Structures are given as structure tokens and as C-alpha cells.
Amino acid sequence: MRETPRPQGTAGDAGPGLPQCRPGRALAHTTGASGSGTPHRSDGRSPHTPRGARQTDPTGHLGTIPPVPRWPVLLVSQVSALLALFALVTWQVVADGPLLGPDERAGLALAGRGSARLSDFFADLGNMQVALPVLACAVAFAWFRRDRRAALCAVAVMAAVPVLVVPLKLWTDRQGPLTGATGYYPSGHTATAAVAYGAAALLLAPYVRRSWMMLVAAVLMTAATSIGLVLRGYHWPLDVFASWCLSAVLLLVLREVSCRSRRRSSSGTPSC
């Protein structure tokens, strides 16, 4: 049997020329076997992601495939924390937990304090006859500015307030501070004020120069409503706090939907 001839040089010999690539090797930048002058893969298969479907980065180079739309991690964590607080307070109310003692003592101590006329005025800010017209004006403005997806979402979160609050009132059946009637948890007036004024601020903020002033105004009006309800003895402090948590979840969802809508809209609409 013939042996395969071997080269006579050793590892230490220095050849007269540079090493040459053998034809057919799978190198990333060698020409194809057909001599077309185009790079080829070692296995001859096409890449999993077509390069034409990839997005370009700011420098113009091909980047990764388009990302899958999803809710931001910060938003999910905020909503989760608010829902956890709301669930904790609701559990205390249903199970007559240890938080109800300090809550009722604080509510009875605060009820009747301050000016009754001013407290009534603040509490009335949570009436639908007052809060809904404010939101309606903001929705109409956003609609005519072609921010219609955000406007519809604002209407949806406002409609979600009674859908969520009324069953909770019937389930918890909590008695009011100065009355024998029940169904006071959570506070419907607080939720109405928070969602109506907060949604109006989110709709109008992109169109004003100092947008933070709209948000501050919404927070102050909601806080005034909450204070008036507690001072007049219409609600316990935990009733108000639970409505703040529930309303904040709805407003965070509205803010995210509004921002996504403005990013997708055509030019001429302010972005978030």
C-alpha cells in the first residue's frame, strides 16, 4: 500500500512564502466556489434573519430585527406596586384588619374640622356634574387636534371608574364615618376627581408650554377633593387612599397609550 507523501520541512523551517489558503475553505470573506466574488457561508444556508428586513442604526449600518412592542418595565413595576397597595388595603377592610383601627380614629378626629363651607366646596369637586365637563372639554380638544386614540382612551378609563368602584362598594360594604349606611369603600368621588382631572391634564399637557403645571393642577384638585371628603366625614382616609391607587393605575395606562399614539401619529402632533 502506498503512503501519502508528506512535506519534508519541519515546524521550525521558515518557508520562502506566506501560507496559502486551500480552495474551498469556509472563510467569512473568501469568494464563493462559483467564483462570483460574493461571500458565502460554510454550510451554504441563508442567514436566519434576512439582512433586508433589519433596521438601520443612526450611522446607517444594519442593526437587529425590529423589536416586539411591549409595555415598559418601569410601567409594569409601577402598576404592580399600586395594585399591591390597593389589594392590601382592601384586604384590611374586608378582614377587619389592624389598619382599620388607626384609620377610623384618624377619620373621626378629622371629621368636622375646618370650614364646613370650604370643605363642602372641595368635596363637590368630585361630583360628576363638576368633573366630567372638564374632561369632556379636554377630550373634545384632543379629538379636534387629531389625537383621537388618546381621547378615546381617556373616555374608556373614565368609564372604568364606576365599573370598578361600584362592585367594590357592594362587596366590601363598609360603613361611613358619621352614618349607619354602608358602601363607602373605595371613594367614588375621589376616583372621579383623580381620573377626570388627571386625564384632562394628560390630554392637554403636550399642547401647553409648561405642561407640568397641568399635572400639578390635577394633583391639587384631587387632593382638595380628598381633604374635603375626610373633613366633612363623608369617607375614611383609607377610602380615599385606595381610590388614589386605583386611579393612578388607570392614569398610567392612559399615559402610555397616549404617548404611543403620539409617536405613531403624523407630523404636527407634539410627542411625549
Side-chain angles (χ1 to χ4, degrees):
M1 182 176 61
R2 294 185 301 173
E3 294 184 357
T4 303
R6 297 182 182 179
Q8 300 300 319
T10 61
D13 293 338
L18 295 175
Q20 299 297 321
C21 296
R22 289 181 295 176
R25 287 192 60 145
L27 295 179
H29 299 285
T30 57
T31 59
S34 61
S36 60
T38 57
H40 68 278
R41 294 170 59 89
S42 59
D43 54 4
R45 294 177 298 176
S46 61
H48 293 289
T49 303
R51 297 182 64 85
R54 299 185 182 182
Q55 293 180 330
T56 57
D57 58 15
T59 61
H61 296 85
L62 291 176
T64 59
I65 59 175
V68 178
R70 59 182 179 180
W71 295 99
V73 177
L74 179 60
L75 174 65
V76 174
S77 61
Q78 290 173 338
V79 170
S80 301
L82 290 168
L83 290 178
L85 284 175
F86 179 79
L88 174 63
V89 175
T90 304
W91 169 62
Q92 290 293 295
V93 171
V94 174
D96 196 14
L99 291 180
L100 260 62
D103 177 54
E104 293 177 354
R105 288 193 294 270
L108 293 176
L110 292 173
R113 291 183 176 271
S115 171
R117 182 176 298 180
L118 186 61
S119 298
D120 276 333
F121 174 77
F122 286 159
D124 288 342
L125 294 176
N127 288 338
M128 288 189 176
Q129 297 86 343
V130 179
L132 290 186
V134 176
L135 177 60
C137 293
V139 168
F141 178 84
W143 183 270
F144 287 112
R145 293 300 298 264
R146 300 188 180 277
D147 198 3
R148 296 178 178 177
R149 186 177 180 183
L152 291 176
C153 186
V155 174
V157 297
M158 190 70 245
V161 171
V163 173
L164 296 174
V165 170
V166 172
L168 285 169
K169 285 178 175 290
L170 297 176
W171 176 49
T172 56
D173 199 34
R174 191 182 190 190
Q175 184 176 339
L178 303 178
T179 179
T182 58
Y184 281 78
Y185 177 89
S187 171
H189 282 71
T190 302
T192 299
V195 173
Y197 301 136
L202 289 175
L203 291 177
L204 299 177
Y207 302 97
V208 297
R209 180 171 300 178
R210 298 180 180 178
S211 58
W212 61 270
M213 296 182 64
M214 303 294 299
L215 303 178
V216 170
V219 171
L220 291 178
M221 295 181 72
T222 306
T225 304
S226 305
I227 293 172
L229 292 171
V230 173
L231 292 181
R232 291 301 294 156
Y234 296 148
H235 279 286
W236 304 105
L238 280 183
D239 301 345
V240 172
F241 177 76
S243 292
W244 273 78
C245 294
L246 194 61
S247 302
V249 171
L250 296 175
L251 292 176
L252 284 173
V253 174
L254 172 61
R255 181 181 181 277
E256 179 64 21
V257 172
S258 301
C259 289
R260 291 192 176 199
S261 175
R262 294 185 183 110
R263 285 195 293 264
R264 295 174 183 175
S265 62
S266 59
S267 59
T269 303
S271 59
C272 296

